[in-house]
């Protein structure tokens, strides 16, 4: 497996994949790419050199050509948590639909004057889908001003985004849409460090883990991803490609279920 980090969603997904393949006599090797496309390529090539039976990759979104080439090799490939245009099985949230749902809810309950989007890399397919979902939910006129913060995994990006949100809180009602659990948690941490009162002035929503709302103790509206389901499904898809003569079948898409905290 190659994943951007070993925390949050990916930690649970890796655990589920490891357990699934252990029960079937396989060891799972996990590499962290830190969301770096060059490191991602390096990890994939190193695993291939070890003649692994198959690969599960959570891509940075910046390696579509490279991953398309790998998908056409002899080693089966499954993509986890992304929508890169690669001809292989995909296990992922429908990010455009998730973004639309979060935006509609935030606009309804908070009516923000400014909307801050915390995103991955600007060129990544997932980022484009998230922005498209936000646009789908915005009114044709009279909606909030929208600010996209790209590359939020990079050092220094989250403090800068939080500082911009804090400035907008002084002149209006900012809303934040965080498209990874890490971004949501870091927003709460950064705002709390600047001024704990900000957490009552900013409307927060984002992709989250099952314990995020309780853990952060803030007024959040979240879409909760089932990371264990995603890991098991990716493992099943890969195992099927390895053992069931399914290598040449058309790629399948498996949508990770999400539940809305505001429906509970």
């Amino acid at each position: 497996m190659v994943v951007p980090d070993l925390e949050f969603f990916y930690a649970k997904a890796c655990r589920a994949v490891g357990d699934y393949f252990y029960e079937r006599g396989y060891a799972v090797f996990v590499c962290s790419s830190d969301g770096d496309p060059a490191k991602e390529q390096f990890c994939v090539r190193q695993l291939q050199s070890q003649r692994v039976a198959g690969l599960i990759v959570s891509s940075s979104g910046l390696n579509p050509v490279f991953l398309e080439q790998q998908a056409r090799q002899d080693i089966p490939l499954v993509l986890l948590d992304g929508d890169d245009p690669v001809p292989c099985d995909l296990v992922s949230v429908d990010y455009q639909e998730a973004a639309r749902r979060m935006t509609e809810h935030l606009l309804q309950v908070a009516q923000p004057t400014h909307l801050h989007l915390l995103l991955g890399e600007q060129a990544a397919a997932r980022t484009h889908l998230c922005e498209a979902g936000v646009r789908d939910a915005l009114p044709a006129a009279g909606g909030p001003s929208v600010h996209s913060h790209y590359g939020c995994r990079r050092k220094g990006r989250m403090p800068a985004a939080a500082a911009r949100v804090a400035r907008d809180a002084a002149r209006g009602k900012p809303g934040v849409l965080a498209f990874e659990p890490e971004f949501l948690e870091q927003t709460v941490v950064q705002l709390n460090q600047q001024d704990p009162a900000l957490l009552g002035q900013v409307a927060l929503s984002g992709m989250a883990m099952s314990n995020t709302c309780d853990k952060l103790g803030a007024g959040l509206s979240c879409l909760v991803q089932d990371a264990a389901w995603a890991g098991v499904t990716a493992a099943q898809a890969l195992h099927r490609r390895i053992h069931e003569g399914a290598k040449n079948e058309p790629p399948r898409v498996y949508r990770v279920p999400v539940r809305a905290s505001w429906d509970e």
Side-chain angles (χ1 to χ4, degrees):
M1 291 187 71
V2 180
V3 294
D5 60 60
L6 298 174
E7 299 181 280
F8 300 99
F9 176 89
Y10 298 109
K12 285 195 173 184
C14 287
R15 176 64 181 268
V17 171
D19 289 346
Y20 180 92
F21 276 112
Y22 170 74
E23 293 172 358
R24 289 156 181 81
Y26 288 88
V28 174
F29 300 94
V30 180
C31 301
S32 175
S33 68
D34 297 317
D36 181 334
K39 190 173 180 180
E40 182 179 294
Q41 290 191 25
F42 172 81
C43 292
V44 169
R45 289 194 174 105
Q46 288 298 307
L47 291 172
Q48 288 174 328
S49 73
Q50 299 301 313
R51 303 180 65 84
V52 294
L55 289 166
I56 296 174
V57 176
S58 296
S59 173
S60 63
L62 301 178
N63 276 321
V65 175
F66 171 76
L67 290 174
E68 180 177 2
Q69 293 170 347
Q70 307 317 304
R72 301 186 188 283
Q73 303 300 315
D74 292 334
I75 299 176
L77 171 66
V78 172
L79 287 187
L80 173 63
D81 194 40
D83 271 282
D84 303 81
V86 177
C88 66
D89 289 341
L90 169 68
V91 180
S92 179
V93 168
D94 183 338
Y95 278 99
Q96 184 166 346
E97 174 62 12
R100 184 195 64 78
R101 289 178 65 188
M102 287 195 297
T103 305
E104 284 186 347
H105 178 73
L106 198 66
L107 293 178
Q108 180 181 8
V109 301
Q111 300 179 337
T113 54
H114 302 78
L115 193 57
H116 293 266
L117 313 183
L118 306 183
L119 299 153
E121 297 300 328
Q122 185 172 4
R126 185 194 308 175
T127 298
H128 296 163
L129 291 170
C130 292
E131 291 185 302
V134 173
R135 289 194 299 269
D136 290 343
L138 289 173
S145 57
V146 179
H147 312 277
S148 293
H149 302 271
Y150 300 112
C152 287
R153 285 184 177 277
R154 299 186 200 173
K155 185 177 180 180
R157 293 296 176 91
M158 284 302 305
R164 176 66 186 273
V165 172
R167 290 197 298 272
D168 283 346
R171 60 177 185 267
K173 176 70 174 181
V176 173
L177 293 172
F179 289 100
E180 292 192 27
E182 178 183 358
F183 302 163
L184 185 60
E185 294 202 11
Q186 282 298 311
T187 300
V188 172
V189 170
Q190 294 291 333
L191 292 177
N192 190 57
Q193 288 177 347
Q194 293 187 46
D195 182 355
L198 286 170
L199 294 176
Q201 302 169 26
V202 178
L204 297 169
S205 185
M207 305 299 296
M209 303 299 292
S210 58
N211 64 341
T212 298
C213 292
D214 293 337
K215 176 181 177 182
L216 295 179
L220 305 174
S221 55
C222 305
L223 281 183
V224 179
Q225 309 171 79
D226 192 332
W229 185 97
V232 169
T233 302
Q236 290 173 335
L238 184 59
H239 190 263
R240 178 175 172 272
R241 293 289 176 180
I242 293 170
H243 286 286
E244 297 182 16
K247 179 178 178 181
N248 296 320
E249 291 183 9
R252 297 185 180 186
V253 175
Y254 305 86
R255 287 303 180 192
V256 177
V258 297
R259 57 179 175 84
S261 64
W262 56 86
D263 290 337
E264 299 176 350

